[in-house]
Every structure is written in structure tokens, then in C-alpha cells.
Amino acid sequence: MNYQQTLDFLYSKLPMFTRVGASAFKKDLTNTIILCNALDNPQDKFKSIHVAGTNGKGSTSHMLASVLQAQGYKTGLYTSPHLKDFRERIRINGKMISKTEVIAFVKNQKQLIEKVEPSFFEVTVALAFDCFARHQVDIAVIEVGLGGRLDSTNIISPLTSVITNISLDHTNMLGNTLAEIAGEKAGIIKKDTPVVIGETHEASAPVFNKKATEMNAPIVFADQVLTALDFKLANNKLSLSVYQGEEIKYKNLQSDLTGVYQHKNILTVLETLAVLNAQTEIKTDVQNVYKGISQVKKQTGLQGRWQTLSKNPLVICDTGHNEAGIAEVIKNISQTPYQNLHIVFGMVKDKDISKVLALLPKNASYYFCKPDLERGLAANELADQAAGFGLKGNTYSSVAEAKAMAIQSAGAKDLVYIGGSTFVVAEAI
């Protein structure tokens, strides 16, 4: 099989969450354990950091990897989903896994895959762990796919666990309350292993504290230790200063991820690095923290986070797709100068979209579209529901058509925002 045939085999043979939703989510770790046993348990052969959370886990994972890379560590990075190329999920020092490695892995494991019938995600996790072990990475940053407790990645024994935040998402699988969802995310907290929580929330904090006590895991809430102030946005960089109490820890820290919401992720990253410095052999110095935070996109290839696609008109996309994520996007829109607002918007059909639609600005022209996957919500259904919230616009047969029409309709000083789903962003960039 060549590379495309290999991907076609994986896509056609294995249930894939991004395409079909909940039916692809395997509610135990059995398949992952079988696959990794057959590979001589590669997950035990490298040091790791495990990152969960509802929003921000991707940005946080990429930032951590960028700093560790800047420090000179050979750094693995596993994230999902991909936007353009399957290989984005598995990187070492920012470089995607080779097509040859993907082909060889699937060829060697084809019989086992056909026997076990794992999910697409389970195979991808096994491939990532095998890749990191064979390349002998110094450290790997492993992003949880969904939840935590039953996620395929949860067979690692990390140096530290990180949970960015909790908000309502994937409620059909993880629970209908913040406490229930926190319980699933808290499943990555391991015995005697420090855990960093990004944001304190009254509903989730007791859940995390209880689990940490049970596991004898030292716990710290980043937003209780560090504060971000003095925000500025200039030359495509977000700049801020970070304080610990009255003491300034990082003055004028620059980030190439310009979404204002990134300050929360930056605090989570800085506290995680402090924990690693204090409690493990993985050390980073201030100079490389500055370097790593300022060059995330360049060093790790991160895309789709408040990303500028073009100017005149200004076209920006963002992968925020749930209530909390869209709330942050709206804050960014409100801080961006523009004359008229155009919003290209599409969603998937297994989400509660009413809470998202309620947040969206009414004084915008909407271009409703359906991302090109089975889970995509039909554009006319989205438009009908949006009309109930006073959102007016037209429907388009594809993301590309909606984007083209928005840009064509916009004046030079207008803003075109593209989002609603990771898959809409994937088609737009």
C-alpha cells in the first residue's frame, strides 16, 4: 500500500470519531493495551506530560512542546484532530512523522488491526507511542483525545498531568454537569504524580482536589499562583507580563498565538514548567521559555488559533467550537477594529448548538455552511436554528463557497471570521 491507500484503509476500516461521532468512542482501554502490548509497550520507553481539558489543551500542548524544543530536548508531540494532514497528529521537534513510517506501521500491524478492530484513534495513539519510543525522544507531550479516564492516551505514566479547564462539551459522552465532566478529566491524575489545573472553577475544583488526595498527587491551580497583566497586541504578537503575587516572573512575554484567551493557557504552561523544574529532571530556563512561547507556530506547526488568513479584508479563523470557546472568540472579535462583521459558520450535529448561537453577535452577516463530513450539520438546519436567535444570513453548499462569498461581500476594512467547528477551519485554511 502507498501512503494514500494506507490512510484509506485506516479511514474505511476503523470507526473515526471526527466522522461518525459517539459510536467511534471506545469506553475502555482494552484495545489500546492489546496494541501496545504487541509493540512491546512503547509508552513505557519515554518520559511524557499528559494534557487534558475542554478548551486550550491543544494550544497548551503545542506551547509546552515549543519551550521544551527551544531548551534542546528532543520533543514528541501528539495532538488531535488534524486539520490538513493526518501526520500533523504526530511530530518530533515540530516535524511530522514520515509517510514511510505510517505505511510501515500499518503494514506490520495490519493483521492485528483486522483482528482487534480498534478505533481510528486507538491505532493512531499506538502509532504515536511507537514512533516516540523508536526515535528515543527525551520527552513527549501527549494531548488527550476526549475526556481522560477512558481515553486511549491514558495508559502513560507521565511526569506531570495537566488539565486546562472544564466546560460543557461532548455531554452525550462525558456527562451533563461540570462536575461529571471534571470526573472524567480527573481520570488522568496518577498516583504520586503532580497535577497542574489551569483554571479554578467552583464546580470542578472539589472534584480535582478529591481525586488528587486519593492518588497522593501534589496539585496546584495555575491561576491561583500566577496572574497575567499588561496585555498588548502589536505586530502579530500578544504581549503580557506574568506575576506571582507582587513579584514579576516574566516581563513583556511575547506569544505568536494572539487570541487574548491564550493568557490562560500561558499561565498553565508556565506553572507546568515550574512543577517540572522543581520535581523532575526536565528543566527549562527563562530564556528558552521566552523563545518557546514566542515561536509556537514556527516550532510546532500549530494552526487555527485566532489565525489571520489574509488582510483587506481581515480574515481570521479560530477552532473554538463550544460555549466557552465561542465566548472567547466573541471577546477577540470585540477587541478587533472593523467596519462590518461577516461570519462564516458551520457546526457538527451532535452538539447542543443553542448555547453557542445565543452568544453570537446579531449585527453580522452570516454565511452558513456544512463541514464536509458525516457529522456536519446541514447548512439550512443551522440557518433555521440561528434565525431563532436573530442571526440572519444565507446558506452555502460548502465552506469554500461561503468563505469566497464572505470575502467578496466584505469591504477592505471589514472583518471576516470563520469558525464554529474545527472542521470548518480545516477547510478554510
Side-chain angles (χ1 to χ4, degrees):
M1 290 193 292
N2 63 24
Y3 178 64
Q4 193 53 53
Q5 288 167 332
T6 301
L7 285 191
D8 290 343
F9 168 77
L10 292 177
Y11 289 146
S12 63
K13 185 86 183 161
L14 310 177
M16 186 177 177
F17 176 76
T18 52
R19 295 187 170 195
V20 301
S23 61
F25 181 53
K26 301 292 178 76
K27 291 210 165 200
D28 65 53
L29 302 176
T30 310
N31 288 349
T32 310
I33 291 166
I34 292 170
L35 291 171
C36 286
N37 276 342
L39 296 164
D40 195 24
N41 291 307
Q43 74 278 8
D44 299 334
K45 296 176 182 175
F46 55 86
K47 298 182 180 72
S48 60
I49 301 165
H50 206 186
V51 184
T54 306
N55 294 305
K57 62 183 183 288
S59 296
T60 297
S61 297
H62 280 265
M63 275 192 250
L64 281 167
S66 183
V67 173
L68 292 164
Q69 221 170 295
Q71 189 68 42
Y73 290 112
K74 188 174 188 179
T75 306
L77 176 62
Y78 175 73
T79 57
S80 62
H82 61 273
L83 291 176
K84 289 292 191 189
D85 186 329
F86 166 78
R87 299 178 303 134
E88 293 167 29
R89 294 167 181 252
I90 303 167
R91 298 175 186 265
I92 296 175
N93 284 356
K95 193 173 176 205
M96 294 189 291
I97 185 173
S98 71
K99 291 180 180 179
T100 313
E101 281 185 85
V102 177
I103 295 165
F105 179 87
V106 174
K107 181 186 171 191
N108 293 337
Q109 305 307 322
K110 192 162 182 269
Q111 277 185 303
L112 183 62
I113 289 169
E114 289 179 329
K115 181 182 166 192
V116 176
E117 298 185 334
S119 72
F120 177 88
F121 189 79
E122 287 166 336
V123 170
T124 309
V125 167
L127 168 59
F129 291 171
D130 184 60
C131 172
F132 297 153
R134 280 187 300 99
H135 287 276
Q136 299 181 317
V137 298
D138 298 314
I139 180 88
V141 182
I142 309 293
E143 180 198 7
V144 165
L146 183 67
R149 181 174 65 95
L150 300 173
D151 188 77
S152 307
T153 61
N154 202 27
I155 63 167
I156 58 175
S157 301
L159 296 178
T160 183
S161 308
V162 182
I163 303 172
T164 57
N165 59 30
I166 300 297
S167 54
L168 294 174
D169 198 10
H170 301 297
T171 50
N172 56 332
M173 287 169 284
L174 301 181
N176 292 309
T177 67
L178 292 179
E180 285 176 335
I181 294 171
E184 289 299 315
K185 311 275 185 194
I188 72 162
I189 298 174
K190 303 290 193 305
K191 193 162 177 49
D192 303 322
T193 302
V195 56
V196 177
I197 311 295
E199 295 176 50
T200 308
H201 193 287
E202 61 182 355
S204 57
V207 179
F208 295 140
N209 281 322
K210 180 171 182 282
K211 181 69 173 181
T213 302
E214 286 170 10
M215 304 305 282
N216 194 38
I219 185 169
V220 60
F221 290 78
D223 61 356
Q224 293 180 17
V225 178
L226 301 173
T227 312
L229 297 168
D230 313 326
F231 298 97
K232 289 191 219 49
L233 200 53
N235 305 322
N236 271 345
K237 287 277 171 85
L238 172 69
S239 118
L240 50 88
S241 294
V242 176
Y243 292 79
Q244 186 166 346
E246 298 293 308
E247 181 193 355
I248 188 158
K249 299 289 283 185
Y250 294 91
K251 186 175 173 61
N252 195 24
L253 186 63
Q254 309 252 318
S255 170
D256 60 343
L257 305 181
T258 54
V260 178
Y261 56 82
Q262 292 292 359
H263 77 271
K264 299 174 183 179
N265 298 327
I266 289 169
L267 296 188
T268 306
V269 167
L270 295 177
E271 190 53 35
T272 302
L273 294 169
V275 166
L276 289 168
N277 274 348
Q279 301 184 40
T280 76
E281 60 272 50
I282 298 295
K283 313 288 185 189
T284 47
D285 57 38
V286 170
Q287 179 187 351
N288 286 308
V289 171
Y290 273 94
K291 182 182 174 187
I293 299 284
S294 71
Q295 298 181 3
V296 179
K297 290 193 280 196
K298 179 183 169 190
Q299 295 224 108
T300 70
L302 179 63
Q303 295 191 87
R305 283 17 177 231
W306 200 247
Q307 181 179 344
T308 299
L309 299 180
S310 57
K311 295 182 175 175
N312 304 319
L314 180 60
V315 181
I316 293 178
C317 66
D318 192 274
T319 54
H321 58 271
N322 51 37
E323 185 185 4
I326 294 294
E328 296 295 348
V329 163
I330 301 304
K331 281 185 206 167
N332 269 344
I333 288 174
S334 70
Q335 294 178 29
T336 305
Y338 60 84
Q339 266 184 354
N340 299 295
L341 179 59
H342 305 259
I343 296 183
V344 176
F345 211 74
M347 297 193 80
V348 291
K349 58 190 173 194
D350 53 6
K351 299 259 185 181
D352 175 12
I353 69 169
S354 57
K355 288 189 171 76
V356 167
L357 295 175
L359 292 173
L360 294 173
K362 294 177 176 57
N363 60 337
S365 302
Y366 283 84
Y367 305 75
F368 297 109
C369 54
K370 172 185 174 288
D372 185 21
L373 72 164
E374 289 167 52
R375 285 172 65 214
L377 178 63
N380 60 333
E381 285 183 45
L382 177 57
D384 288 347
Q385 291 194 51
F389 293 87
L391 311 177
K392 298 184 181 68
N394 295 319
T395 59
Y396 297 88
S397 59
S398 68
V399 173
E401 189 189 348
K403 176 188 173 186
M405 185 52 71
I407 291 171
Q408 187 183 320
S409 306
K413 294 185 176 175
D414 289 357
L415 169 62
V416 177
Y417 159 69
I418 302 171
S421 163
T422 302
F423 309 107
V424 170
V425 170
E427 290 180 52
I429 58 178

